[in-house]
Amino acid sequence: MRVRFRLFVIRAAPTLALLGGMVFAIGLLVELLSGRVIGAALSPAVQIALAGLCMAAVMFFVWFSVIGLLLLRQSRAMGSGYGEAYRLIESFHFREAIPLLERSIEEGKENADVLMLLTSAYAYAGQLGKAQATADRAVRLYPDNSGSYITLANGYRIQAAYEEAARALVKATELDPNQPIVWAELGFTEHFSGHREAAFQAFERAAQVVMPAMYGVRVFYHLAQAYAAAGKTQQAVSATARMMSARDGLAIWESGLNALEGTAYGQALRHEIDAIRQSLADADSATIG
């Protein structure tokens, strides 16, 4: 309930602040167009404008307060360097993120999320031995946390150890069976392993729940290919349409390819992205035709 309330405030406060600003502007505009000489008494239009201004100010205060509290809680839970490390990893500055995450661990914030980021940072920086050791430690410390096994799978996958990665992700799905992203990751890994039937089953499970576009575009591409190969035309068309609706998510995978340059996993992912791009182009041509 608290999480939902915080999310509501974060999303609603800027909207209400903007609404208050619009009310303020409209109220002033009405007052100016009325030609009324402003005296000691405030007209209804000015009162409404001031009310809108107050609402905007209060909403901005609430929004900044909630964001500040969330950042403070994050620092206490994850360590002082976690937020900056997360931003560095998002911009593919993995080496710069490593000392910040190591500092979080030194501060006693060795939780599953910190270990997951540190594993990714080590792996993408080419320090595969440290990445594997960190992933193994995450599983030892948090054996009932699905994120620990996702961390382990990420380390294996960058080393192109797809069988081991798939086993870790199977364990993650057992711990968190209702998470579509975990099923999608399992499907991708099984696909790279050459286990087409297992990949198809994982993709179908992922497709039962709404997922981010970056996962949807790949999941529905593979489902469209599988349905077409099985002669299930209607399902293939439906999956293709859903792939096209999630096409913007492909850019996220493309942006990370440079960080995977020179790895077998990076080459396999690039090949898949090229195939999806071609499939999207073919679908666009068919739609125009």
Side-chain angles (χ1 to χ4, degrees), residues 5 32 98 115 175 189 252:
F5 177 73
L32 291 173
I98 289 173
L115 291 172
L175 292 170
T189 304
I252 299 175

Side-chain angles (χ1 to χ4, degrees), residues 149-150 153 157 165-173 182 185-186 189:
Y149 294 92
I150 296 173
R157 188 164 44 202
R167 283 195 288 270
L169 288 168
V170 167
K171 180 63 176 179
T173 61
V182 180
E185 292 283 6
L186 177 59
T189 304

Side-chain angles (χ1 to χ4, degrees), residues 152-163:
L152 185 62
N154 288 340
Y156 280 133
R157 188 164 44 202
I158 291 176
Q159 301 175 65
Y162 300 126
E163 299 283 351

Side-chain angles (χ1 to χ4, degrees), residues 13-196:
T15 302
L16 292 175
L18 179 61
L19 179 62
M22 292 175 62
V23 170
F24 174 69
I26 293 171
L28 286 184
L29 182 61
V30 169
E31 181 69 12
L32 291 173
L33 293 177
S34 69
R36 179 179 177 273
V37 178
I38 299 177
L42 296 178
S43 69
V46 172
Q47 292 178 30
I48 292 173
L50 291 176
L53 181 62
C54 290
M55 184 174 74
V58 170
M59 288 300 103
F60 274 122
F61 174 78
V62 170
W63 188 80
F64 281 114
S65 297
V66 171
I67 294 297
L69 288 173
L70 290 177
L71 290 174
L72 180 60
R73 290 187 61 181
Q74 183 190 72
S75 295
R76 288 178 177 175
M78 305 293 187
S80 57
Y82 179 84
E84 181 61 24
Y86 191 92
R87 287 188 288 272
L88 286 169
I89 287 176
E90 280 191 323
S91 59
F92 308 110
H93 294 90
F94 302 105
R95 294 187 183 278
E96 292 90 336
I98 289 173
L100 296 175
L101 294 167
E102 290 176 337
R103 187 176 72 193
S104 291
I105 291 176
E106 291 172 0
E107 293 172 353
K109 311 301 182 182
E110 193 175 22
N111 56 46
D113 291 331
V114 171
L115 291 172
M116 179 183 295
L117 276 189
L118 186 55
T119 297
S120 298
Y122 279 142
Y124 286 113
Q127 302 178 37
L128 299 181
K130 288 186 176 181
Q132 190 62 58
T134 305
D136 291 338
R137 183 169 178 78
V139 172
R140 287 197 305 272
L141 292 176
Y142 305 100
D144 297 325
N145 188 320
S146 63
S148 299
Y149 294 92
I150 296 173
T151 299
L152 185 62
N154 288 340
Y156 280 133
R157 188 164 44 202
I158 291 176
Q159 301 175 65
Y162 300 126
E163 299 283 351
E164 291 84 352
R167 283 195 288 270
L169 288 168
V170 167
K171 180 63 176 179
T173 61
E174 293 172 356
L175 292 170
D176 194 0
N178 298 318
Q179 177 55 260
I181 292 175
V182 180
W183 287 103
E185 292 283 6
L186 177 59
F188 302 151
T189 304
E190 294 284 21
H191 172 75
F192 288 139
S193 299
H195 301 154
R196 300 292 189 252

